[in-house]
Amino acid sequence: MTSSGRVWNNYVTFGSVLILCIALTLSFMYIMGSQHTEKIRGGATSVTYHLNKNLTTKNRLKQIFTTTSQLKQTLIISRERPFYRIDTIPENTSKLPFLENFKNPCWHEQAASFHEGEGQLRCLPYFYIVGAPKAGTSDLHNRLLLHPSISDKVTKEPHWIARTRFMQNGTYGKLSNYLRYFDYAVQKDIVTSKQKNGRYKAIFGDCSCSTLWDNWNLLNARMKRNMTLPPSTNANVIFDLNPNAKIIIMLRNPTLSVFSDHMYFNRKGESARTFHAKVALSIKKHRYCLQKCSLQYCAYLCRYMEIRLCVGMYYIYVEDFLRVFPREQIKVIKSEEFAIHIAETMKEVFKFLEVDDPKEDLWKEIIGQKKINERKEKNKHAEMLPQTKEMLSRFYKPYNTELSRLLGDHFMYE
């Protein structure tokens, strides 16, 4: 081969290599460019997603709020120092950063998903109405809701602390399930009650009488671990969530309360003699339980009784609350006195809750409201046998004595 041929071959080889390098370089640039484009597209998609997310939240809020000013005020509140709360059961919930300008225990929370909104204001109840069944808790609650500073946009008796959160193996046990009962009240009443001093005066509460005495689910969970008593009661659950909660306890003569409770919820219209037989059997079961177990265990186990005798053992449950809450945060009301002195009792309750006295016209409406949840008509005229009343009075006497020791002779039921 001539020298010129060799040179030509070298040029061809060099050119092939050069073309190959250029092709590889362009391919690499194309790939990197595509990835970069995807990143840009991803970023744009992300931005669009967040915009849509905020738009979704605003659209949902517009459906809830009646005025633009309410919506604007809520969005401003929601952007103030939100934090992310790990959604656990109440017993494992860390201390929440309550805001000082709200009467209710409220905080700003970064939601886990856009369905719940961003930086949402969440609140727990400011007060709890608990007590014996048929002792007037519902009547008191309905009168309180007429006050302009107390929200009526809450579920009346969620029974979440004592019962609902344990359903379906604890499926509803996370705190978020409890907060949902009150989100509507927060959005409609709490955030719109801002005063000139920057404080929000509206409040709401939880009226579930079972929270006082129904510790069965707590006990049942511990029994599976061979424990005879729960390490904490419903009182501890409330205190751990909000140590400043106000507790209103309503009590009624346990002998009359247990009869009224049974007759109200009994759909068969049982006779007085049938009631007497069930009382005798329930007392027998309770005494047998005391031979084997502690008083608290037998009281918390009352679900197995024909008659809910344990509900009338008030001192056990009042003591549970006094053990964890300061006395000044607990107000105990006798149902008998509330029925006679409605005006005086309502004034005391409003003062206890630290809300203003209602205006005269509203005050008349609150006092004049008809009593609710009276005994069903079919059992309205049923009377307890004298021997049944005597038997129940003897049974409750030691518990009434202990109650008077806790609260004073004023609460000594005969």
Side-chain angles (χ1 to χ4, degrees):
M1 183 180 294
T2 63
S3 59
S4 59
R6 292 193 197 94
V7 172
W8 175 252
N9 286 337
N10 289 338
Y11 277 124
V12 172
T13 303
F14 177 77
S16 300
V17 173
L18 181 61
I19 292 172
L20 179 61
C21 290
I22 292 173
L24 290 174
T25 301
L26 292 174
S27 299
F28 178 75
M29 291 176 65
Y30 175 78
I31 294 171
M32 294 301 295
S34 298
Q35 292 179 353
H36 182 63
T37 303
E38 287 301 318
K39 287 184 179 179
I40 294 176
R41 288 175 181 170
T45 302
S46 179
V47 171
T48 304
Y49 167 76
H50 285 296
L51 289 175
N52 288 338
K53 179 168 63 171
N54 292 335
L55 185 62
T56 301
T57 301
K58 290 181 180 180
N59 287 341
R60 191 177 70 256
L61 288 173
K62 283 181 180 179
Q63 294 176 359
I64 297 175
F65 291 95
T66 56
T67 65
T68 305
S69 60
Q70 290 180 1
L71 171 61
K72 182 178 180 182
Q73 188 176 19
T74 305
L75 293 176
I76 292 174
I77 292 173
S78 298
R79 286 194 290 267
E80 297 178 5
R81 295 173 295 153
F83 87 111
Y84 180 75
R85 171 182 56 84
I86 299 176
D87 195 14
T88 64
I89 61 175
E91 288 84 351
N92 295 335
T93 299
S94 301
K95 185 176 180 181
L96 298 167
F98 297 147
L99 301 170
E100 294 182 356
N101 55 337
F102 288 84
K103 291 188 68 175
N104 265 81
C106 299
W107 65 94
H108 298 126
E109 178 176 300
Q110 182 64 45
S113 70
F114 72 89
H115 294 291
E116 300 174 11
E118 287 190 332
Q120 187 174 357
L121 183 71
R122 311 303 293 267
C123 300
L124 287 164
Y126 174 75
F127 63 92
Y128 292 81
I129 300 178
V130 301
K134 310 308 300 171
T137 54
S138 296
D139 189 48
L140 173 65
H141 185 244
N142 275 24
R143 295 177 195 274
L144 288 177
L145 295 185
L146 295 175
H147 195 286
S149 294
I150 302 178
S151 176
D152 61 351
K153 299 172 181 62
V154 295
T155 302
K156 177 181 169 290
E157 293 179 288
H159 295 290
W160 188 85
I161 290 177
R163 299 172 181 170
T164 308
R165 69 190 182 106
F166 297 97
M167 292 182 177
Q168 296 186 7
N169 296 321
T171 302
Y172 303 104
K174 292 184 178 180
L175 186 61
S176 59
N177 290 290
Y178 188 43
L179 297 175
R180 289 191 184 103
Y181 286 111
F182 314 112
D183 280 343
Y184 187 57
V186 173
Q187 294 160 352
K188 292 291 287 185
D189 289 338
I190 301 300
V191 300
T192 59
S193 66
K194 188 175 183 179
Q195 300 172 293
K196 292 182 179 180
N197 60 5
R199 294 186 62 83
Y200 297 80
K201 67 177 183 178
I203 60 175
F204 63 81
D206 179 344
C207 179
S208 302
C209 64
S210 62
T211 308
L212 175 67
W213 48 268
D214 192 354
N215 293 286
W216 155 251
N217 287 295
L218 287 172
L219 175 60
N220 185 47
R222 298 322 187 270
M223 287 170 61
K224 295 177 181 178
R225 305 177 191 175
N226 295 322
M227 299 173 65
T228 57
L229 281 178
S232 60
T233 64
N234 296 330
N236 296 93
V237 174
I238 296 174
F239 184 85
D240 289 343
L241 290 175
N242 177 24
N244 298 317
K246 292 181 179 290
I247 312 297
I248 300 174
I249 301 176
M250 294 200 70
L251 305 178
R252 180 187 178 188
N253 186 320
T255 298
L256 302 179
S257 177
V258 69
F259 176 68
S260 182
D261 170 49
H262 184 73
M263 299 304 285
Y264 182 84
F265 291 105
N266 175 40
R267 297 180 179 179
K268 297 179 181 179
E270 291 180 352
S271 66
R273 291 190 177 277
T274 303
F275 177 74
H276 179 86
K278 287 188 174 182
V279 169
L281 182 58
S282 297
I283 291 177
K284 183 178 180 180
K285 285 185 176 181
H286 179 72
R287 288 174 177 170
Y288 178 78
C289 180
L290 289 178
Q291 295 176 8
K292 307 289 184 179
C293 307
S294 67
L295 176 59
Q296 283 75 15
Y297 176 88
C298 296
Y300 300 156
L301 201 67
C302 71
R303 190 170 292 191
Y304 289 113
M305 302 292 183
E306 283 72 13
I307 303 295
R308 297 196 295 186
L309 291 174
C310 65
V311 179
M313 304 174 191
Y314 299 142
Y315 100 87
I316 297 174
Y317 316 115
V318 173
E319 195 172 52
D320 285 341
F321 277 83
L322 288 173
R323 193 179 295 115
V324 296
F325 281 100
R327 183 66 180 87
E328 60 270 18
Q329 288 178 224
I330 299 177
K331 181 171 184 59
V332 186
I333 301 174
K334 290 183 70 173
S335 176
E336 294 83 357
E337 292 187 355
F338 174 55
I340 299 174
H341 307 291
I342 295 178
E344 292 83 350
T345 304
M346 293 306 301
K347 284 184 178 180
E348 293 176 2
V349 174
F350 286 140
K351 182 178 180 181
F352 176 70
L353 296 178
E354 300 179 45
V355 296
D356 298 331
D357 290 335
K359 295 181 180 180
E360 184 175 355
D361 291 343
L362 180 58
W363 179 251
K364 291 180 179 179
E365 183 180 355
I366 293 174
I367 303 306
Q369 188 181 58
K370 183 180 179 180
K371 185 178 179 181
I372 64 171
N373 278 359
E374 290 186 300
R375 197 192 307 174
K376 294 179 181 178
E377 187 65 31
K378 62 182 179 181
N379 290 327
K380 190 171 183 179
H381 302 292
E383 295 294 338
M384 192 177 355
L385 295 176
Q387 55 266 40
T388 311
K389 186 174 182 179
E390 176 64 25
M391 181 168 52
L392 284 170
S393 297
R394 288 198 308 268
F395 174 80
Y396 283 123
K397 184 174 182 179
Y399 303 108
N400 293 339
T401 301
E402 289 298 314
L403 181 68
S404 66
R405 178 183 61 81
L406 281 177
L407 303 177
D409 294 340
H410 181 61
F411 284 87
M412 181 62 193
Y413 288 104
E414 296 297 333

